[in-house]
Amino acid sequence: MPQKSSSLSRRTARALAAVVTLALGGCSMATTAPATARAQADAGGAVGAVDCRKAKCIALTFDAGPGKDTGHLLDILKEEKVPATFFLLGENHVLKHPDTVRRIAAEGHEVANHTWSHQILTGRSPGAIRAELRKTQDAIAKITGRAPRLMRPPQGRTDATVAKVCEELGLAQILWSATAKDYSTNDSALIEKRILDQADKDGVILLHDIYPGTVPAVPGIVRTLEARGYTFVTVPQLMAPAEPVPGTVYRP
């Protein structure tokens, strides 16, 4: 991968320093997107049949899989007709479950990058960050035929160096607005309650399909939010008509 110019690094640092609010598909997401994305967001249009500038949209996302329960989760999402975004780990996940990765993509979900081994990226060298992301990009592309365009930094921790590498690799950074902290409990009812209490229009829900209490909570989350008038979309659909800008940090 050729090195970018120093001016690109300075532009990335300036972008991270100034947080602005853009209307992306009808949703207000605090973001470090450059000003050019504002014009793109105002250009009209939407992804698929859902226009989140009009609909009450919310995005369901799953981190750190795939795992042994992801197949069951996909069964639930298929039955409920709900699209989701999966931020996948490379080591011991993508490599261990290639058929599940292939199924995620084939069933219309967004396949995204959550690093190779869940290392915190901040404070690391550009080469180390690049390796964590590139290895997962390559593994997913080999399985699905397409490299991800989104990533989620472990623990949501990012900085200008992470942004620069993401820009080089064509990856936008996606954070979240609702989390069940399902890594700390196996209580499915509690996981469901935490998400329902935090859910809001244009939100991004963070769950992990690798913990035993999470997948059983999904049907209740989906049905309750649909009863409240929400439409489930992938993260790119939520952002439409804008396209994810590589290197950008999106904060719902």
Side-chain angles (χ1 to χ4, degrees):
M1 176 68 64
Q3 293 295 316
K4 299 288 183 177
S5 67
S6 60
S7 62
L8 177 59
S9 179
R10 289 195 295 271
R11 287 199 305 273
T12 303
R14 286 198 300 270
L16 279 169
V19 176
V20 298
T21 299
L22 295 180
L24 301 180
C27 61
S28 293
M29 297 178 74
T31 173
T32 57
T36 53
R38 183 184 299 275
Q40 187 180 34
D42 292 338
V47 176
V50 180
D51 186 343
C52 291
R53 295 167 299 177
K54 300 175 182 178
K56 186 179 178 183
C57 291
I58 197 163
L60 189 59
T61 73
F62 296 92
D63 281 12
K68 63 181 181 62
D69 296 325
T70 306
H72 179 43
L73 171 61
L74 290 169
D75 292 340
I76 293 169
L77 297 176
K78 186 174 184 179
E79 181 179 352
E80 300 293 338
K81 298 180 173 61
V82 167
T85 302
F86 287 81
F87 292 90
L88 304 183
L89 281 175
E91 187 178 33
N92 298 324
H93 293 272
V94 168
L95 294 185
K96 188 175 180 179
H97 302 282
D99 289 342
T100 303
V101 176
R102 197 173 293 112
R103 181 183 171 190
I104 291 169
E107 295 186 358
H109 305 289
E110 186 75 16
V111 182
N113 189 328
H114 195 43
T115 74
W116 185 253
S117 59
H118 210 263
Q119 295 291 314
I120 301 302
L121 300 179
T122 50
R124 296 170 67 86
S125 71
I129 296 167
R130 191 175 294 108
E132 277 287 313
L133 296 172
R134 170 60 76 185
K135 288 164 71 176
T136 305
Q137 289 288 92
D138 291 346
I140 291 172
K142 184 176 180 180
I143 294 168
T144 68
R146 179 181 176 187
R149 53 182 169 165
L150 308 177
M151 66 83 73
R152 177 168 283 157
Q155 297 185 11
R157 293 168 63 178
T158 187
D159 58 20
T161 305
V162 175
K164 181 178 182 296
V165 173
C166 286
E167 188 172 13
E168 293 173 1
L169 297 179
L171 290 165
Q173 303 181 71
I174 308 299
L175 302 186
W176 60 89
S177 58
T179 177
K181 297 184 178 179
D182 50 353
Y183 51 82
S184 65
T185 180
N186 292 330
D187 186 336
S188 298
L190 178 59
I191 291 169
E192 178 179 342
K193 181 180 186 303
R194 286 174 173 174
I195 293 300
L196 295 177
D197 286 348
Q198 297 173 61
D200 201 1
K201 184 179 184 299
D202 306 320
V204 176
I205 295 169
L206 166 62
L207 292 168
H208 299 79
D209 48 324
I210 59 170
Y211 298 122
T214 301
V215 172
V218 171
I221 291 169
V222 167
R223 292 166 189 168
T224 301
L225 290 180
E226 286 184 334
R228 293 179 184 177
Y230 285 93
T231 297
F232 286 93
V233 294
T234 64
V235 169
Q237 286 176 314
L238 186 64
M239 297 170 65
E243 290 289 333
V245 178
T248 299
V249 181
Y250 291 96
R251 307 175 187 272

